[in-house]
Amino acid sequence: MTEQPATGARTAEPLTQYVQRVSRRVRAFDARHPLVWDLHLTGFWVTAALIDYYGGGWLTVTRAPDSPRWLVLTLSLALSVPLLWRRTHPRAVLLALTPFALVNAWTGIALQAAMLHLLVVFHIALRRPARTLWWAAALLTATATVTAVRHPQGGPDKEIVPVLMTFAVATAIGITVRTRRDHTETLEDRARRLEIERDQQARLAAAAERARIAREMHDIIGHNLSVITGLADGGKYAAVKSPERAAQALHAIAATSRQALGELRRLLDVLREEDHPEESPGPQLAPQPGLTDLDRLVSGVRAVGLPVDVTVTGTPALSPGRQLTVYRVIQESLTNTLKHAGPGTTAQVELSYEDRGAVTATVTDTGRGGPAPGADGRGLPGMRERTALYGGTLEAGPSPHPAPGWRVHLSLPEESPQ
């Protein structure tokens, strides 16, 4: 299948595209081998000057037909050969041509090769500061003045004005080309910077996505594996004395495993939807749990053997993202209690909903004082990252003395109006 142009995009005509391609190739070749083009152009003008000399064309415009032939030949070469350096040293070339141009004007030979100084003026306007054009104009005016004084034909207006007009045209062309070149370079530089910025944004987005996936995987796997481990340990001890309790533990392990697999499957489904957004107007699956899943979370923790007391104040009115943040913070806090608090621990969850999406959540336990140093590399940082997304604060540390255990306090401010 051929790729169709985007709607509203302008496509150049085939002839224009061909000219652009050829122009780019010529410029690229000239950039790699500048001497080749300089030799060809200089050779062309030297050949034209020699044809003008040997063919006698200069006799049709000269004002001194009896001039020595060696002088005419010398001026023909002197006014054309220096063009080889017109691009690299245009000011030096103009200075080198000026004495021969003055001799040409003084003697009245009036070779057409003297007009080649306009090429040098063009390159001065193209490559050098604007102030250089003033003394270039002065040199050309001096040459025209010598001709008008030595060999007048109709007054200064017919000798000097045409020279100044041709000088203005050459200067205007040089400035126009220079302006377009600078504009093109600016656009190319901007395009390069936009490409770099795009790549940087893509890398930042990929890093943020990896961090988000890592948080979700940690919350899903870490919590459920902690619950499964607790249930398995309890079932092992209950197998001898109470087979019924062991069977209940196995049933709870199976249910928790299915729940974890379901959450992972839904998470992967959403990731596939995000990888191919054109196939669907939007993700139709919602793997992230919300506040409605809080009861199931608490029930699972209680089934492991951790008594949890939940106190709710107010009516929840939170966006899905805020619900996920509250849920994950509570989930991670209870998981850490299961891992590190020790036997005989109880937990307390306090939720307070306020107006316009503000919420506070406090999870405390009566255990040994929280996670062991270095035991969890992602839990607390993940909770803080989630909280920071909504401008909230998270406090995690030992409960205030003399209360034992660990305390996690989450506070999300009011939602900003959209």
Side-chain angles (χ1 to χ4, degrees):
M1 296 179 62
T2 58
E3 183 179 355
Q4 298 297 327
T7 304
R10 297 182 58 185
T11 304
E13 295 294 334
L15 179 59
T16 303
Q17 294 178 350
Y18 175 77
V19 172
Q20 291 175 348
R21 287 196 301 270
V22 172
S23 177
R24 284 195 297 268
R25 291 174 182 174
V26 170
R27 288 197 300 268
F29 179 83
D30 182 50
R32 294 191 302 269
H33 310 285
L35 187 60
V36 174
W37 174 251
D38 291 338
L39 286 173
H40 278 77
L41 187 138
T42 303
F44 171 81
W45 290 115
V46 170
T47 302
L50 293 178
I51 290 175
D52 184 56
Y53 167 72
Y54 286 108
W58 66 279
L59 293 173
T60 60
V61 295
T62 185
R63 302 174 188 181
D66 298 331
S67 299
R69 294 298 185 269
W70 66 266
L71 179 59
V72 178
L73 177 61
T74 301
L75 291 177
S76 298
L77 294 175
L79 292 173
S80 57
V81 172
L83 293 179
L84 181 63
W85 299 277
R86 74 195 185 284
R87 290 200 291 184
T88 55
H89 304 88
R91 290 177 295 188
V93 171
L94 184 62
L95 289 175
L97 292 178
T98 299
F100 298 100
L102 290 174
V103 172
N104 182 56
W106 183 267
T107 58
I109 297 177
L111 291 175
Q112 296 297 311
M115 299 298 293
L116 294 177
H117 67 267
L118 295 177
L119 281 175
V120 184
V121 170
F122 166 80
H123 283 282
I124 290 177
L126 180 63
R127 305 173 189 278
R128 294 295 180 263
R131 62 178 180 273
T132 308
L133 293 169
W134 290 106
W135 62 263
L139 292 178
L140 267 65
T141 303
T143 303
T145 302
V146 170
T147 301
V149 172
R150 286 278 298 169
H151 307 281
Q153 286 187 356
D157 57 329
K158 293 185 178 181
E159 299 290 345
I160 299 176
V161 173
V163 172
L164 294 179
M165 291 181 64
T166 55
F167 173 83
V169 171
T171 300
I173 295 174
I175 293 175
T176 300
V177 174
R178 180 175 188 167
T179 302
R180 182 171 180 81
R181 183 194 63 186
D182 293 344
H183 179 66
T184 302
E185 291 177 352
T186 301
L187 292 179
E188 292 176 351
D189 179 67
R190 181 183 179 187
R192 284 192 297 269
R193 287 187 284 108
L194 288 176
E195 289 179 357
I196 295 174
E197 182 179 356
R198 179 199 62 193
D199 295 340
Q200 291 175 342
Q201 292 294 335
R203 287 193 293 268
L204 291 175
E209 184 66 11
R210 286 195 298 268
R212 182 181 72 86
I213 295 173
R215 287 197 304 267
E216 294 295 334
M217 297 291 286
H218 172 272
D219 292 338
I220 294 172
I221 297 175
H223 170 74
N224 288 287
L225 285 182
S226 297
V227 173
I228 291 172
T229 301
L231 289 170
D233 290 339
K236 180 178 63 175
Y237 291 108
V240 178
K241 298 181 180 181
S242 179
E244 294 181 359
R245 295 289 300 274
Q248 292 176 358
L250 292 174
H251 177 74
I253 289 174
T256 304
S257 301
R258 283 193 292 269
Q259 177 185 349
L261 287 174
E263 291 188 13
L264 287 175
R265 187 177 297 112
R266 290 193 296 269
L267 176 61
L268 295 177
D269 287 341
V270 170
L271 292 178
R272 282 194 290 268
E273 289 283 347
E274 293 175 354
D275 290 339
H276 304 282
E278 69 279 0
E279 297 178 2
S280 174
Q284 301 299 318
L285 302 176
Q288 294 88 351
L291 296 176
T292 56
D293 301 295
L294 197 57
D295 291 339
R296 185 173 58 181
L297 170 66
V298 173
S299 299
V301 175
R302 287 171 179 164
V304 180
L306 175 63
V308 181
D309 185 23
V310 180
T311 303
V312 179
T313 303
T315 303
L318 304 180
S319 62
R322 287 176 169 246
Q323 290 189 39
L324 177 62
T325 298
V326 175
Y327 179 92
R328 291 303 190 197
V329 168
I330 296 174
Q331 181 188 53
E332 181 64 26
S333 301
L334 295 177
T335 301
N336 287 336
T337 299
L338 287 172
K339 289 180 179 179
H340 311 296
T345 301
T346 61
Q348 172 76 28
V349 178
E350 298 178 0
L351 273 172
S352 177
Y353 302 108
E354 302 175 12
D355 296 335
R356 296 172 59 183
V359 61
T360 58
T362 304
V363 182
T364 57
D365 62 54
T366 59
R368 295 179 303 201
D376 192 348
R378 289 188 177 272
L380 292 178
M383 288 194 291
R384 290 193 173 94
E385 289 174 2
R386 291 182 184 278
T387 304
L389 290 176
Y390 297 96
T393 58
L394 181 78
E395 301 173 2
S399 299
H401 186 74
W406 189 264
R407 176 179 179 270
V408 177
H409 179 72
L410 166 70
S411 176
L412 296 182
E414 296 180 353
E415 290 192 86
S416 302
Q418 299 298 321

